[in-house]
Each structure stands twice: as C-alpha cells, then as structure tokens.
Amino acid sequence: MKTVAIIAEYNPFHIGHEYHLKNALELSGANYSIALMGGNFLQRGQAAMWDKYTRGSMCVSSGIDLAIELPFPYATGSAMDFSTGAINIIDRLNSVDYLCFGAETSDITLLEQVASIILDEPDLYKNRLTDYISSGVSYPSAREKAIYDYTHNSKYSDILSLPNNILAIEYICALKKINSTIKPLLVERKTAGYHEDTLRKGISSATSIRNFLQNYTPELATKDILSDISDSVLPQVFSIIKSTYNKTSPVFTDALTPFLQSKLLTTRNLSHICDMTPELSNKLLNTDLSATYNEIINSVKTKNITHSRISRCLIHLLLDYTEDDRRCFIQDNYAYYANILCFKKDSSTLIKSIHESSSIPLITKKADFNDVICSFSDINTDNAKRMWQLDTDATKLYNCLIYNSYHTKTPNDYTQKLPIL
C-alpha cells in the first residue's frame, strides 16, 4: 500500500486541485491520498470562506481519501512554520510515502538546490541576508536578494518570487532537516496563477473564486445563483457551495472587525504575540479603530511589514497565540496529533494502517482527546493540550463569525458530527 500526501487549504477545492490530485496519484502510484488542510484560519491570516469540515467534505467528495487538519499555529504561520509543522505531522504518521506539491516551475532539481543553500547557510548568503533584513527589507525579499548575491544567477533568485515555489522549497527544506523518507513530487501549476483574480472557464485560481463571492450579493442573484463559478469547481463542490450559501458561508475576514477593535481597546502590551514586532505593536496600539479589519491592516502596513505578516499577527492576537507557545512547539518537534476532518467510508484500510503505525494519535472522537493524548507516553501533553485549545478556540471564533453574518448556530469541535462520505 502506498500513500501520497498533499498540503493544502482548499478554499475552495477547484478544478486545478483535481488536476493536482490526479497527477499526484499518477506520479506516485499511490493507493490512497491524504490532505493535510488548513483549518478555519489560513496562512495569509485570513478567515476561510467555508469552515474546515465543509472544506474537508469538498476535497473528500472530490477524490481525497482522508482530510486532516493542519493545526492553527502552522496553518496561520509563516511559510517556514506552515511547511515545517505540516511535514513533521505527515512524517510522524509513518504511513506516507510521497508528498506532492504544486509549483510555478517544473524543475524540482532547481528547487532542491535553492533549498540546500537555505539549509546550509553559507557565510556569504547568511551575511547578505542579515544585512538586507537590517536595512529594512522584508524577509522574503531579503532572501531573494541574498540568494542572487550568493549564486550570481537570477534563475535561483527568481524562483523565490512566486508563492508556490516558496512553499515547495520550504517543504523540501523541512523534509531534508528531519531526514524524512517521504519522497517529494512536483506538479507544475497550470493556467491560473495563484493570485490571478479573474474567473476563467476551467482552471480558475481560488483567489478568483473568492473574489467573485466577495462581490456577489443576493441582490445580484438570478435563478442560476452562483452559476458563474460552476465551471471552476466540480459539480459536488458546487453543490456544497450552493447548499451553504447565505447559511454558513461565505465568511469574510472583515467579519473579524469587532473582535479586533475590542482586543486593541483592552490590550496594552502586544509584545508577547507570535510574529509581532515592536514597530507593528506600536502602530496597532495607536491606530484609528474606526475602520474595518482590512482597513486597519492597510493603515499600519509598511514596505518591510507585509499585509500577510500583519494579518497573521492579528489572528494570533485574537486567539492569544504567543511567541512562547511557538517556541514550545518548535522545541518539541512540532507534531502532537492528527485531527480528522472528513474521510471516505472505503478508506478504512488507510485509517487502520495509520492507527497501527503512527507515533502521534489520529483524533476521531474529539471528546476523547485528553485520554488519547495521555495514552502516548512520548508526547508532551501540556503542549498538545495547548495546541488543541488554539484549534478549538479558532473554531469557536469562526462560529461567531458565521452567527454574526447569517444568524446560524454551528457546532463546535466537540459537537460536530464527523463527515464520512
């Protein structure tokens, strides 16, 4: 039995994701596929448009065998935290043979070469990186410039200018760092760019689908409600989007506005929050709160503090995810559990194999979390429970956004019936 893993957000699962999954299965020859999927809040600090169980159902109904949640600290972390947390989790399942990721390049050797430079940190590269960061250049730009200074070849630095390439390199770095036996596989991204914001027939980016929904209102609806996105997603995903529309979705990040206003009104010290800098803390504590969530982000943005970095800081602030938390998780090798979001009925062989082989628990019944964690003697239960608290609090916050937007009460992680398709 062979298994391929995919790390994704599926916000939503679209035609391009189906293309990736089919190629992942073909390249690997795998019998089963696992998606390690971001939860209710995602890597750019935004709220997902659909809750994590709904998105889990989207991907499983589209061919994934098992959807597992990427915990909040990694799902909303920097590219390094996102990838390293994810890799450590799938590695400790002891059931994954391949990791398949998308990138804007087809040259996996080039990605591996850049990953080696980043990992080895030769003196010239390291010194230039430090100099650029000290001069106020953002970390992504500083790394791109330092790679060019070290190699004197733009093909190495240019590859770091595109988002999927960056994540691919981080995945390779994380696999190398722990000497994982998981083999990386690459599928070149086709047609729609990651940030492309226009719907097209066939493969549209998730960004373009979300932008359409952001600007779509009931007043514009016709009898063919949402039909403009029907060519961009599979029929079963379109059915899910329609069935949840104006009931529990779409959720927009600006719905976080009153929570942020309240937090900034009652908090005087932000220095302990993960990803926070003194400059950003000062700006946030002195900003005009008569604005939306995204307007507040834009008001404190500078050339060396990106929109995504600020957005991640704010969601960490709302859930009190601290630098101490992050340090504890990193020092303790990242992985504590694998929380199931959805699975296929006929994937019982895969789930049984994971239960038998994994060095971290596979969480099915959420109410049994404490007992299950305590049954694994080599897991730091305090750290595991803290991470679980962040995951379950993120669901509670997300449920507030749904209620405030649609007056729909939704189950929390303990009362949610696990989707089995």
Side-chain angles (χ1 to χ4, degrees):
M1 184 180 83
K2 292 182 179 179
T3 303
V4 61
I6 295 170
I7 302 166
E9 293 182 332
Y10 295 147
N11 187 36
F13 190 100
H14 55 67
I15 297 294
H17 293 133
E18 181 196 32
Y19 171 85
H20 180 209
L21 174 59
K22 285 181 176 178
N23 276 271
L25 291 168
E26 183 178 336
L27 287 168
S28 64
N31 311 92
Y32 293 103
S33 57
I34 296 174
L36 186 57
M37 194 190 79
N40 290 323
F41 298 96
L42 304 177
Q43 205 262 328
R44 298 180 69 211
Q46 62 194 10
M49 278 200 167
W50 300 266
D51 73 89
K52 61 189 182 184
Y53 293 102
T54 297
R55 287 169 25 251
S57 297
M58 287 180 183
C59 71
V60 170
S61 68
S62 303
I64 293 289
D65 291 288
L66 172 64
I68 295 171
E69 180 178 10
L70 180 61
F72 173 85
Y74 311 137
T76 62
S78 65
M80 185 178 70
D81 284 1
F82 180 95
S83 56
T84 308
I87 293 299
N88 277 270
I89 290 170
I90 64 171
D91 186 74
R92 293 191 68 183
L93 294 177
N94 297 320
S95 303
V96 175
D97 302 285
Y98 301 94
L99 171 69
C100 189
F101 44 79
E104 289 87 358
T105 178
S106 61
D107 191 347
I108 195 167
T109 301
L110 183 59
L111 295 174
E112 289 174 333
Q113 289 170 339
V114 174
S116 292
I117 295 170
I118 291 170
L119 274 180
D120 296 341
E121 288 194 317
D123 288 342
L124 175 59
Y125 164 75
K126 187 176 181 179
N127 292 338
R128 292 297 171 86
L129 180 65
T130 301
D131 290 344
Y132 284 125
I133 292 173
S134 299
S135 70
V137 176
S138 68
Y139 179 78
S141 296
R143 189 165 67 172
E144 187 178 337
K145 290 174 180 290
I147 287 283
Y148 178 79
D149 289 349
Y150 178 74
T151 62
H152 298 290
N153 190 329
S154 60
K155 77 174 182 178
Y156 294 101
S157 55
D158 289 350
I159 208 167
L160 282 165
S161 65
L162 296 169
N164 288 285
N165 287 344
I166 293 171
L167 272 179
I169 290 166
E170 293 291 356
Y171 294 146
I172 294 169
C173 284
L175 288 169
K176 287 177 178 289
K177 197 177 297 184
I178 61 173
N179 295 314
S180 176
T181 60
I182 296 172
K183 182 179 179 181
L185 300 173
L186 173 63
V187 175
E188 185 178 5
R189 191 177 181 91
K190 296 292 184 182
T191 311
Y194 181 85
H195 293 301
E196 186 172 314
D197 58 6
T198 303
L199 282 175
R200 60 168 77 212
K201 192 166 185 176
I203 298 179
S204 292
S205 70
T207 300
S208 65
I209 296 170
R210 292 194 301 271
N211 281 352
F212 172 80
L213 290 171
Q214 181 93 47
N215 297 317
Y216 195 88
T217 63
E219 291 75 26
L220 299 175
T222 68
K223 62 180 181 180
D224 298 315
I225 187 170
L226 303 179
S227 60
D228 285 356
I229 65 171
S230 62
D231 288 331
S232 301
V233 297
L234 298 174
Q236 58 270 31
V237 174
F238 185 59
S239 178
I240 291 171
I241 291 173
K242 286 183 68 175
S243 68
T244 61
Y245 185 75
N246 267 349
K247 296 173 184 174
T248 60
S249 72
V251 170
F252 302 116
T253 301
D254 268 348
L256 288 165
T257 299
F259 298 92
L260 177 61
Q261 291 167 326
S262 176
K263 195 76 171 181
L264 291 176
L265 279 169
T266 56
T267 305
R268 294 294 174 264
N269 183 6
L270 309 182
S271 61
H272 63 296
I273 297 299
C274 183
D275 285 331
M276 190 67 68
T277 65
E279 178 188 6
L280 179 55
S281 174
N282 183 60
K283 283 179 171 291
L284 285 171
L285 290 173
N286 290 284
T287 193
D288 180 6
L289 298 183
S290 302
T292 67
Y293 194 87
N294 279 301
E295 286 171 347
I296 290 172
I297 292 173
N298 288 328
S299 72
V300 299
K301 183 179 177 297
T302 65
K303 69 174 184 178
N304 61 320
I305 309 179
T306 65
H307 187 284
S308 294
R309 171 70 179 269
I310 299 167
S311 191
R312 287 196 297 270
C313 278
L314 294 185
I315 196 61
H316 294 164
L317 170 64
L318 293 182
L319 288 171
D320 199 33
Y321 172 45
T322 69
E323 280 293 345
D324 283 345
D325 289 328
R326 178 177 180 269
R327 193 176 302 111
C328 286
F329 299 150
I330 290 174
Q331 291 173 349
D332 203 26
N333 298 320
Y334 291 91
Y336 302 103
Y337 54 82
N339 182 35
I340 295 180
L341 298 178
C342 186
F343 65 92
K344 283 183 183 176
K345 284 181 183 177
D346 56 4
S347 62
S348 57
T349 302
L350 171 64
I351 292 174
K352 182 181 178 182
S353 173
I354 295 173
H355 273 303
E356 291 174 350
S357 305
S358 180
S359 58
I360 56 174
L362 197 58
I363 307 298
T364 50
K365 190 175 180 182
K366 320 305 180 186
D368 292 341
F369 178 84
N370 286 345
D371 291 339
V372 172
I373 283 293
C374 290
S375 68
F376 282 69
S377 58
D378 60 338
I379 289 179
N380 183 314
T381 55
D382 289 339
N383 286 348
K385 288 177 181 179
R386 174 56 180 155
M387 185 173 286
W388 182 250
Q389 179 188 6
L390 288 165
D391 284 343
T392 54
D393 283 353
T395 297
K396 291 175 185 176
L397 175 58
Y398 192 86
N399 288 350
C400 290
L401 305 187
I402 293 175
Y403 184 79
N404 291 348
S405 299
Y406 303 108
H407 303 292
T408 302
K409 290 187 176 182
T410 45
N412 62 34
D413 286 298
Y414 295 103
T415 58
Q416 171 72 46
K417 184 178 178 181
L418 188 63
I420 304 172
L421 305 181

